Amino acid sequence: MPHLDDEIRQLAARRHLPDTHLDRWLSLDEPSRAALMEAAGLLRLRTGQLVVALDLLDEIAVRESVSIASVLARPSLHRLLSAPGSVPERAHAFLDELRAMRFPRLRETTARLEAAIAAMRLPAGIAVLLPRDLASDELTIQLVASDAGELNRLIDLLVEKRAELSRILSMIGGGDEV
Amino acid sequence: MKFELDTLVVEEASRDSALAARLVAALGSSVPVSYVADAREAVRPTPGPDPFGAGKRRMVVLKRHTPFLMACPAGSAKFACCGYLVLVLASNCPMDCSYCFLQEHVANNPAFQIYSNYADSFEELDRLSRSAPGRHFRVGTGELADSLAMDSVTGLSKDLIEFVRDREHLTLELKTKTDEIGNLLQTDPRGRVIVSWTLSPEAVWKSSEHRTASPSARIAAARAVLDAGYRVGFHLDPIIAYEGAEKDYAHLIDELLDVITPGRISFLSMGSLRMTPGLRSAARRRFPHDPMLLGEEVPGHDGRLRAFSALRVRLYRIIQQRLARAGRPVPAYLCMETSTVHERVFGVAPANPATIGERLALG
Ligand code: SF4
């Protein structure tokens, strides 16, 4: 498909895509090359976004033993190509969806933990922060108070929520609920 | 098991060694043999698409000029460790696991090196024992190489076993992914030798552990050496948290315990797959289609990528629960995990490394 490959090369040159990534793109099967070209054009992916998309797509395809074209044809991704809304927002959502596909259990676990934190209905002065990428089993609890009365109120509230917080900590550490 | 080599290079200073003689006699008719004054060039990467893979097929016999004995590279004050000491008798290995840390660790000197003056290590071991009278040490040869991969031609295991079997303060650990046990079955270890196998489910073996013995063959080999008077241990390391891993690891434990009763297992270590970003890049370059290298790993405090905490701890716990069901306890420990993770898995804090090492050495 010389015409498609020329288009890919031209886009890569405009975006200063690293040679390694261009080579990887050109080495894909034809439907995958074309599908990625379509996504890159419709979402106007910038260099960094294109690099990340190529990496994620490649990894998803290897993990699931499928082609990149079939990943890009999934409704959750395909919808974003032509959905209303700003192009940069759709490009951002596209990469986010790719990340969710690449790390499905991490996404699911994070969502469950975030739901458990939200269910505690903590006031604005208390923030319960999950470890980045759930890489460790440490929960950070942040209190913001500007006077002693407010601080005491937040601490009392935290003590009340001890059981829920312990449950969250256990979930982060691989407790049975995860 | 037979491994293909492209060439055998012998450094002149090792030409008259017993090891070189054994290797030339065993391989000389099938592999070109050359002699070089200085082997430094021969151990370096050669140009080509896969210098590391080519290094595995270039065996170099040379003298080691640095100490043979070192602390386990996985050891750290941050982790719950097992106090293992490493005896470096060779570097690199003829098998090819996609996740192998050697791809990064010996990238600049990837030839499959075997040290002709390995007997000098015996003096180091005696010095170590003299330095701490009354202490027991567990020393293994399987860190920078597989302990048994070429044993049918090197015969190293026989010399090592003969050395340790009269030394009550030493326990030798031979660590392997092969079923290369011919020499072991002809040698009486007098209880001083543990042979340990790294075990993985079939899915990991097929996808990632190229040229290794199958998991069933490893378990059968373990049973055979057990019956011949050796102690046996197992490493579930790396544990890979792929989709379906929980069922597969539970099945692997069942398969193991069907063949070897829990009371006869000296130890079982567990460690999840961990890769530095450099190793991951090297491994992905060499094995771009292996899904096992693409789990849900995230960077941790030490910069290494591991499956996120909840996922890997859950897998450890499932394995530990399976072991606990076995009736008699299997001495299990974690490799390169924090004390907190250890407590979450076993319900107790880990002992200090020296204590664990000594306990494992004593059996
Ligand atoms: S058997 Fe061990 S040393 Fe050999 S390639 Fe596999 S992990 Fe590396």
Side-chain angles (χ1 to χ4, degrees), chain A residues 1-176:
Chain A
M1 257 251 161
H3 180 62
L4 171 63
D5 289 357
D6 287 346
E7 276 182 37
I8 292 172
R9 281 197 189 89
Q10 283 161 17
L11 179 73
R14 283 199 303 278
R15 295 279 190 276
H16 304 289
L17 191 69
D19 285 348
T20 46
H21 284 75
L22 171 62
D23 291 346
R24 254 168 53 203
W25 192 350
L26 292 172
S27 70
L28 301 176
D29 59 85
E30 195 264 318
S32 298
R33 290 202 305 276
L36 184 55
M37 185 66 205
E38 185 196 16
L42 289 171
L43 298 173
R44 282 184 241 139
L45 296 178
R46 297 190 308 271
T47 314
Q49 291 174 319
L50 207 44
V51 164
V52 171
L54 250 166
D55 287 345
L56 289 170
L57 282 163
D58 177 36
E59 293 183 4
I60 294 164
V62 172
R63 273 172 62 84
E64 302 181 19
S65 295
V66 295
S67 71
I68 284 182
S70 75
V71 177
L72 287 168
R74 290 177 187 169
S76 59
L77 286 172
H78 205 252
R79 196 181 310 126
L80 290 167
L81 301 185
S82 49
S86 84
V87 173
E89 272 171 23
R90 283 189 286 129
H92 181 78
F94 176 79
L95 292 181
D96 203 45
E97 182 59 22
L98 284 180
R99 280 193 200 94
M101 287 178 186
R102 169 64 182 83
F103 294 93
R105 288 172 294 181
L106 178 60
R107 271 304 163 97
E108 197 189 313
T109 308
T110 307
R112 226 181 284 184
L113 285 160
E114 282 170 353
I117 292 170
M120 284 195 291
R121 296 178 184 285
L122 296 167
I126 304 178
V128 175
L129 308 171
L130 295 173
R132 189 185 162 86
D133 291 332
L134 304 186
S136 81
D137 46 15
E138 294 162 0
L139 192 65
T140 305
I141 299 173
Q142 197 175 286
L143 299 184
V144 180
S146 46
D147 61 57
E150 192 180 358
L151 182 64
N152 285 337
R153 191 175 60 80
L154 294 178
I155 291 172
D156 289 347
L157 226 150
L158 263 188
V159 172
E160 265 174 44
K161 301 284 180 188
R162 194 178 3 210
E164 285 103 312
L165 287 166
S166 299
R167 195 177 130 243
I168 290 168
L169 203 49
S170 151
M171 286 167 78
I172 296 173
D176 288 337

Side-chain angles (χ1 to χ4, degrees), chain B residues 9-39:
Chain B
V9 180
V10 181
E11 197 176 50
E12 282 295 352
S14 298
R15 186 193 270 264
D16 297 328
S17 65
L19 180 66
R22 268 179 249 160
L23 288 165
V24 171
L27 302 170
S29 60
S30 54
V31 172
V33 182
S34 57
Y35 295 88
V36 294
D38 182 343

